[in-house]
Amino acid sequence: MENQVDIENDGGGGGIIDEKKLDLERNFSTISESGIREPLLNSKSRVNNTSQIAIVGTNVYPIESLDYEIVENDLFKQDWRSRKKVQIFQYIFLKWTLVLLIGLSTGLVGFFNNIGVENIAGFKLLLTNNLMLEDKYFQAFAAFAGCNVVLATCAAALCAFIAPAAAGSGIPEVKAYLNGIDAHSILAPSTLLVKIFGSILGVSAGFVVGKEGPMVHTGACIANLLGQGGSRKYHLTWKWLRYFKNDRDRRDLITCGAAAGVAAAFRAPVGGVLFALEEIASWWRSALLWRTFFTTAIVAMVLRSLIQFCRGGNCGLFGEGGLIMFDVNSGVSNYNTIDVLALILIGVIGGILGSLYNYLVDKVLRTYAVINERGPAFKILLVMSVSILTSCCSYGLPWLARCIPCPIALEEKCPTIGRSGNFKNFQCPAGHYNDLASLFLNTNDDAIRNLFSSNNSNEFHISTLLIFFAGVYFLGIITYGIAIPSGLFIPVILAGASYGRIFGRALGSLSNLNVGLFALLGAASFLGGTMRMTVSICVILLELTNNLLMLPLVMLVLLISKTVADSFNKGVYDQIVKMKGLPFLESHAEPYMRNLVAGDVCSGPLLSFSGVEKVGNIVHALKYTGHNGFPVIDEPPFSETPELCGLVLRSHLLVLLNGKKFTKQRVLSGSNILRRFHAFDFAKPGSGKGLKFVDLVVTQEEMEMYVDLHPITNTSPYTVVETMSLAKAAILFRQLGLRHLCVVPKKTGRAPIVGILTRHDFMHEHIMNLYPHLVPHK
């Protein structure tokens, strides 16, 4: 990525495509008064030459920002004034209807996902178990590994050939989108389909991955598809959804979809809301809280109804393994001083192991990126290699464990033969079971259920738990980053529950807590050490285990593990966002920004338009720059002195030029434009191709004509004075969700605008290039 830095910036005063186009821009600035005027930053011509590209999937794409700001131009005001109470009620009703549909759809997809995993993985495991009962050990391994490779190859082929953006968990991409970053195809319909089926195939293939991260991405994709007014590319458009053709409303819907994904994965509606609030969303308000809560409640109701239906044996193997819910509320949660000391130690270990996990995941992802860049064939080969290694570990490591006699007075049969269950026979004689096989040769959900179980404290040997922890820790690291949909929650819960249960076994009678509760605390510590979330993980675990009495202990262990891990590195999702090159704006400003002012980082040269501009000048500016915002300056005879009229967007200019409402004379013609266009004509299109520059057809005669920009100019853009602290400007930019921030001069008598700040002007790399002596290298 280092050699691809001359990609066009996002804003009006941003970077430059290349030197040739830079020269063209400078030539435009020397045109006569009828053309574009001298650059306003001619004394400080700075080019933002930082990288404006990011890795999505394994491909590199240019990055733009989303327009969360309301464009208050004449067309918008005319449309708002003309809206009747019925239309306003329709808009509010559609908002709640859409979040209802998002909840229903995400709940159904989550249920379908569980059915697919339980039945496909159940068939594979029963086939392997039946062959082992006949002492056909090599055939059993061939069947087990063969099924895994086939399933993994299918999942990898979907990601490699159809939707590369569907690989990974998707949480970093959704988090970046809600921060205002429009990355390529991360919420496209093709990504949604591959995410659903690829997740089912990948989890069923026995990888140490979860479906929770992909479910968050799936919920966001569903929300985007429902709320964007359809897709022109796929010929799916609904006129009645035109009210939601803006990034602000889509942002709210996608936040609801992400929360619904967590609720569908864990059956934790409140945890889903808090996850969206704490980790995903960059902007929040009380109205959004109500809608996300309503969405997750719908998901919980859908799942509960369908699970009740499946308990009658109507869904194949689904329901027999106890998916989604891990009930450990039978444990007594009275704790003593030794328990508290053990809990503190668990928190410290979770923080250390979690930070190490994040460090190793980052290194593996960078290594895999080199392999995946070589093409789809290498992606699939990498997936197949990891699949074979996982199969060898899952089938080979249980041979290291010794057979254990079945516990007395069990409600279920031991060992389990011919059905799903917890006590795997493996190679053991009748009346015995292999405790390590009960963890490895099971679905991930059943393995967690076994670790959280408190019915038999001696069910797993300490040596078994150590082997399983080492295996899951290692496999979880090398699996994340291959070309399949994969989540990190389940591997982290498995590893954390393993060493938590080890603590429970080691303390024995000294502790008042049982081994199942220690497994829960271990999972919480590892989650806090890797994800760096506290409130949402705490609530998710309590909803997941149905044990409210553990609240104080879970809170304490999360705080300790997060504090310890934060002293080493950032959370895993923050690391991935940075590694992918996504220009994420943090909620706080860096300390060195207080030594700079807004005018210090404005990029140039700045291109601006007159209120009534020549068509040819607009066409040339659109052709040779990639700026998405241009200042509009009124000059005599339209104003007494040069003054900033506002900001006009590239997408709006394209629509205006395509409408061909031009005049031969340089006169105001806004009334004709208001009659010709409607506000919805300038709404942002959904997925697929909107109007592009190549779609314009402008004749040579029209190039010499004029067009009035006043009706489409945002007359109230956010502005800051050039002497404002860059730290304050950065916080303002993020909290308001801006794409462009106009910088105006401190003194009168100068040009009415100094420059335009965009997302990339606040990036560490850009500021470091300008002022390397002020900025510490990261």
Side-chain angles (χ1 to χ4, degrees), residues 403-467:
C403 296
I404 303 174
C406 288
I408 303 173
L410 271 181
E411 294 182 2
E412 58 177 307
K413 293 182 179 180
C414 175
T416 53
I417 298 175
R419 58 187 176 83
S420 62
N422 299 334
F423 298 96
K424 297 295 183 182
N425 178 257
F426 204 62
Q427 88 289 10
C428 296
H432 292 71
Y433 73 96
N434 188 310
D435 58 346
L436 194 51
S438 300
L439 297 174
F440 271 119
L441 292 180
N442 236 330
T443 62
N444 292 331
D445 295 276
D446 277 347
I448 295 175
R449 185 168 178 262
N450 292 344
L451 290 171
F452 282 177
S453 173
S454 57
N455 295 329
N456 181 11
S457 60
N458 297 320
E459 184 176 343
F460 302 102
H461 283 296
I462 292 181
S463 59
T464 295
L465 294 171
L466 284 171
I467 295 172

Side-chain angles (χ1 to χ4, degrees), residues 15 102 166 196 238 307 318 367 428 432 445 571 586 618 660 687 704 719:
I102 291 169
I196 295 172
W238 302 286
I307 290 172
F318 179 77
T367 304
C428 296
H432 292 71
D445 295 276
E586 300 289 349
I618 299 175
K660 297 184 181 297
S687 294
E704 299 300 322
T719 61

Side-chain angles (χ1 to χ4, degrees), residues 487-702:
L488 283 172
F489 269 96
I490 291 300
V492 169
I493 292 176
L494 282 170
S498 300
Y499 69 73
R501 196 174 178 102
I502 291 173
F503 268 87
R505 285 294 309 274
L507 290 177
S509 59
L510 297 176
S511 171
N512 290 343
L513 302 178
N514 60 51
V515 291
L517 297 180
F518 270 107
L520 172 63
L521 294 173
S525 71
F526 204 12
L527 284 168
T530 53
M531 311 294 180
R532 311 297 162 83
M533 293 176 282
T534 53
V535 180
S536 55
I537 287 180
C538 180
V539 174
I540 287 173
L541 286 175
L542 295 179
E543 290 185 285
L544 190 68
T545 57
N546 194 23
N547 193 340
L548 190 60
L549 297 176
M550 291 295 292
L551 177 61
L553 297 181
V554 174
M555 290 173 64
L556 182 59
V557 77
L558 280 169
L559 289 172
I560 294 172
S561 62
K562 182 184 185 302
T563 303
V564 171
D566 280 340
S567 62
F568 294 101
N569 51 31
K570 291 187 176 182
V572 64
Y573 296 131
D574 294 324
Q575 285 191 173
I576 294 172
V577 166
K578 182 179 179 181
M579 190 205 71
K580 287 178 173 289
L582 296 166
F584 190 87
L585 289 176
E586 300 289 349
S587 58
H588 62 277
E590 297 292 342
Y592 60 79
M593 289 185 176
R594 303 195 180 278
N595 298 321
L596 300 170
V597 296
D600 290 334
V601 298
C602 287
S603 302
L606 180 67
L607 300 180
S608 62
F609 296 131
S610 296
V612 181
E613 186 60 84
K614 182 180 281 189
V615 173
N617 292 334
I618 299 175
V619 170
H620 283 299
L622 295 178
K623 182 178 181 180
Y624 292 109
T625 73
H627 302 331
N628 286 284
F630 301 88
V632 177
I633 298 175
D634 272 339
E635 292 181 333
F638 304 112
S639 64
E640 294 182 0
T641 58
E643 62 181 30
L644 178 63
C645 177
L647 197 73
V648 64
L649 298 180
R650 164 183 286 267
S651 58
H652 292 182
L653 287 172
L654 292 172
V655 175
L656 183 64
L657 293 179
N658 195 50
K660 297 184 181 297
K661 278 294 178 180
F662 308 141
T663 58
K664 293 185 178 180
Q665 303 298 324
R666 196 181 181 200
V667 296
L668 296 173
S669 59
S671 57
N672 295 331
I673 293 175
L674 291 175
R675 287 193 296 268
R676 163 66 174 80
F677 292 99
H678 191 274
F680 291 130
D681 296 328
F682 295 88
K684 187 171 182 177
S687 294
K689 294 182 179 179
L691 187 63
K692 305 295 182 184
F693 177 78
V694 294
D695 301 326
L696 293 180
V697 179
V698 182
T699 64
Q700 190 60 40
E701 181 182 357
E702 291 171 336

